[in-house]
């Protein structure tokens, strides 16, 4: 495999250098590539952070879809936001210029490189989408709308006091406090011949509908889709409290008379909907629907709606419901030239894949296509149904582009990644888990791996809990960087225990009311499996680390016998007390996962609470918690740290005042890696002997039966604590 960039030495006999966190954070990051209308060229952005200049440098680039050659068309493009091809013109890109508080729409001719300002929005907007229609080029964006429906003006007078008053739940979300402003979808129509000519003025298409779209806290342009005189948007159910309900509806909105479309297309008492997409003829809308309101990780079912003249649905078909297909796709889009064919992307068995779904097939089962590693985005090239431009990534490489050909059911590499390591740095394994079903995991090897040596183990636990380690690249918790940390590196193991996504609905759903049981036992059995199978793992030098639910699990492990098996633990924005989950924002999440509200099922919150076992905490522990984390408030990290300090357990607390649940800024991320790696390297160093039992019981725990007994004992403690609480 070709190894390039980032100082890898590929000469024969030369040492391959380790992939450090500086390499990770300074590697160019790419957007998905977007093909133009004649199928000749893809456009993408590449952004590079430098620790020497302490700044980003972005450029807008083109890739030939025939040869894969690239060309930077716009350098020093730090102020370039979203971009899109201008209607049917294959030579003109539109982009958002974010250099001031008033976002501007600019055009770029890809032959001459000439740029031109077309329009200045009355405030800040993002998430650009365009469509060439018979009446002109429709340009759609999103931004914050003031209560009167206008785009929030940067010149709006500041209030004299900073108080925020609420009389209903859902007061903050992810990393912001709710105000009277709401996200909305805006747009205008430009003349196709002369893009500086505005044919229909800038309008809030949702004004007066009483709905918010795109959906916070991760607004996405996949929440709306454009057709000639029809816009479909996905919005939270306006009559339900967003803190306790996941339900969203699709609305078919008429650009010119939006008030006629205030009836949702698909109100049916279901949960969250996503990815609405309009068919070629504008008569059908496909989308993903979760049947259970309040369960954010419920399986996504493909639905197809026929549109009635008044914008409601004249029929709804649940295409994949009740079928043997138990995966949960994350996006859906129509074939450009086959009326009854949909394509889906989503997770399948630890990777992200592409499926084709023929609506004429009576069994409604999507057919897997032969793609590589993980597909991050897929777009048809031209209006043909045979080729798609894929943006993909892997554990071993950052975003790369390839062309998938339906005819041969295979991909051809178009442009390789900006950062990569050898393919053989990653392996996979399966073992029998707590419920007798197979559990999947990945193993990562350090760059100088020698199977005759012994390596410390980094055991990483994912968040969610309904999420997964996949064969994809990430700038956070990148397992390759963990494996190249320290003198000789680490073996890194990532397991997808009960509750993980990509293994089917049942595997995901089974974590409900069982946060500390099945997944915990899966992790113990997985650790037992890898330490027996991979003899190069030094079971005297193991560390465990996790974020969010992964941090919950690390705290849970700290209080169990398993906690004594590790030399160090790391909790990033984790849970100290499950009771505090009611101080979170999306209350539907604990209500679902703990079997009811705090008041109605108090027992469910006491059951697997790391705090119940804090008296046993003894292993050196690194805590990270950030100020703007409103999902798991920072008191969780402070509580854990205060308890560790009182117990005299070696511990550190790292805090970022300017980060939320995630550490996103490169300089902060560099500090995060440095402090955590210094800590685990110190404690996993040799010479810190600790008895972990004989070779037959590597973990000092006999069997799953013994673990279940431990869990039962915990549940009993929960019952007794619960005894003092009046349960409604
Ligand atoms: C950004 O990168 C481009 C292309 O590599 C280079 O020409 C330009 O000087 C860089 N700008 C800065 C500010 O580093
Ligand atoms: C963005 O707009 C500013 C101000 O109008 C201009 O100076 C700058 O060149 C523009 N940048 C791009 C990439 O269009
Ligand atoms: C949108 O509204 C206009 C004006 O009322 C009407 O002419 C047009 O047919 C409507 N479009 C759709 C798709 O209903
Ligand atoms: C929309 O039209 C359908 C028939 O096509 C009718 O059944 C339905 O009641 C109408 N809905 C509204 C809100 O007008
Ligand atoms: C799905 O469709 C079938 C067949 O039309 C119908 O019987 C069933 O009630 C539908 N279920 C849901 C949840 O929409
Ligand atoms: C395409 O390849 C996948 C394997 O990745 C296979 O499961 C599927 O059956 C193939 N489809 C066709 C039509 O050959
Ligand atoms: C999948 O594609 C690869 C080449 O990318 C090819 O070697 C393999 O045979 C294909 N598998 C199937 C099932 O088509």
């Amino acid at each position: 495999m070709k190894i390039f960039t980032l100082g890898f030495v590929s000469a024969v006999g030369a040492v391959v250098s380790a992939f450090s966190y500086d390499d990770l954070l300074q590697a160019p990051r790419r957007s998905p590539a977007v093909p133009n209308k004649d199928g000749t060229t893809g456009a993408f952005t590449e952004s590079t952070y430098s620790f020497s200049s302490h700044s980003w440098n972005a450029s807008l680039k083109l890739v030939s879809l025939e040869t894969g050659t690239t060309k930077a068309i716009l350098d020093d493009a730090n102020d370039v936001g979203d971009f899109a091809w201008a209607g049917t013109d294959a030579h003109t890109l539109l982009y958002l210029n974010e250099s001031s508080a008033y976002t501007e729409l600019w055009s770029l001719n890809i032959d001459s490189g000439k740029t031109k300002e077309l329009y200045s929005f009355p405030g800040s907007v993002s998430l650009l989408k365009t469509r060439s229609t018979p009446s002109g080029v429709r340009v759609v964006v999103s931004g914050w709308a003031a209560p009167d429906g206008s785009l929030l003006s940067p010149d709006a007078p500041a209030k004299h006091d900073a108080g925020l008053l609420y009389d209903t739940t859902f007061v903050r979300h992810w990393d912001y406090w709710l105000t009277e402003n709401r996200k909305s979808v805006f747009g205008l129509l430009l003349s196709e011949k002369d893009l500086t000519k505005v044919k229909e003025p800038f309008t809030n298409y949702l004004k007066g509908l009483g709905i918010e779209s795109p959906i916070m806290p991760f607004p996405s342009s996949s929440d709306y889709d454009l057709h000639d005189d029809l816009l479909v948007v996905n919005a939270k159910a306006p009559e339900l409290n967003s803190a306790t309900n996941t339900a969203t509806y699709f609305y078919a909105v008429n650009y010119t008379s939006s008030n006629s479309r205030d009836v949702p297309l698909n109100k049916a008492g279901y949960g969250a909907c996503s990815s609405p997409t309009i068919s070629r003829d504008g008569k059908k809308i496909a989308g993903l629907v979760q049947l259970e309101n309040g369960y954010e990780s419920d399986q996504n079912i493909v639905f197809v709606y026929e549109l009635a003249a008044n914008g409601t649905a004249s029929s709804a078909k649940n295409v994949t419901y009740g079928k043997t297909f138990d995966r949960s796709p994350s996006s859906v889009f129509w074939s450009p030239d086959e009326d009854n064919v949909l394509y889906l992307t989503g997770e399948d068995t630890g990777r992200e894949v592409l499926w084709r779904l023929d609506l004429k097939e009576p069994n409604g089962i999507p057919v897997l296509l032969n793609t590589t590693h993980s597909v991050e985005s897929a777009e048809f090239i031209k209006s043909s149904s045979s080729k798609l431009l894929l943006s993909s990534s892997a554990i071993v490489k950052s975003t790369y582009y390839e062309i998938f050909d339906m005819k041969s059911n295979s991909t051809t590499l178009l442009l390789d990644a900006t950062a990569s390591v050898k393919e053989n740095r990653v392996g996979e394994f399966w073992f029998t888990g707590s419920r007798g079903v197979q559990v999947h995991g990945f193993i990562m090897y350090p760059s100088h791996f020698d199977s005759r040596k012994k390596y410390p183990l980094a055991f990483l636990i994912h968040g969610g809990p309904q999420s997964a380690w996949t064969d994809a690249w990430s700038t956070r918790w990148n397992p390759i960087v963990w494996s190249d940390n320290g003198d000789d590196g680490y073996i890194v193991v990532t397991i997808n225990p009960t509750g993980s996504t990509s293994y089917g609905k049942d595997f995901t759903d089974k974590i409900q009311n069982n946060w500390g049981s099945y997944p915990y036992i899966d992790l113990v059995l997985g650790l037992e499996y890898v330490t027996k199978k991979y003899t190069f793992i030094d079971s005297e030098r193991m560390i465990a680390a996790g974020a969010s639910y992964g941090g919950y699990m690390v705290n849970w492990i700290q209080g169990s016998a398993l906690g004594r098996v590790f030399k160090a633990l790391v909790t990033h924005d984790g849970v100290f007390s499950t009771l505090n989950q009611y101080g979170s924002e999306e209350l539907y999440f604990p209500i679902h996962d703990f079997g009811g509200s705090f008041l109605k099922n108090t027992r469910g919150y006491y059951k697997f609470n790391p705090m119940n076992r804090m008296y046993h905490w003894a292993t050196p522990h690194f805590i990270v918690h950030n100020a703007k984390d409103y999902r798991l408030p920072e008191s969780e990290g402070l509580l854990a740290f205060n308890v560790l300090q009182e117990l005299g357990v070696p511990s550190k607390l790292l805090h970022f005042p300017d980060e939320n649940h995630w550490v996103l800024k490169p300089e902060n991320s560099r500090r995060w890696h440095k402090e955590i790696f210094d800590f685990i390297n110190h404690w996993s160093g040799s010479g810190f002997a600790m008895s972990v039992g004989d070779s037959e019981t590597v973990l000092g725990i006999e069997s799953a039966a013994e673990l279940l007994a431990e869990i039962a004992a915990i549940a009993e403690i929960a019952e007794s604590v619960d005894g003092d609480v009046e349960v409604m």
Side-chain angles (χ1 to χ4, degrees), residues 676-693:
I676 291 175
F677 285 5
D678 282 356
F679 189 85
I680 62 172
N681 292 343
H682 174 76
W683 291 105
S684 72
S686 46
F688 188 82
M690 188 189 255
S691 167
V692 289

Side-chain angles (χ1 to χ4, degrees), residues 198-216:
V198 176
K199 291 184 74 179
E200 269 174 31
F202 184 70
T203 305
N204 179 351
Y205 295 133
L206 309 185
K207 187 176 173 175
L209 298 188
I211 58 172
E212 179 171 32
S213 184
I215 292 169
M216 295 297 278

Side-chain angles (χ1 to χ4, degrees), residues 498-544:
T498 300
S500 298
T501 50
S502 86
Y503 305 93
K505 177 171 167 60
D506 188 58
F507 196 90
T508 306
D509 291 354
K510 278 289 187 301
I511 196 173
Q512 188 185 24
N513 301 321
N514 278 292
W515 271 32
S517 59
Y518 300 136
Y520 170 70
I521 301 170
D522 288 342
L523 292 170
V524 174
L525 296 174
L527 187 59
E528 214 153 31
Y529 176 84
V530 295
T531 48
K532 279 191 184 137
K533 174 170 175 173
Y534 303 110
T535 51
F536 43 79
I537 291 176
D538 184 350
S539 56
E540 299 279 333
R541 298 165 68 206
M542 306 195 291
I543 71 97

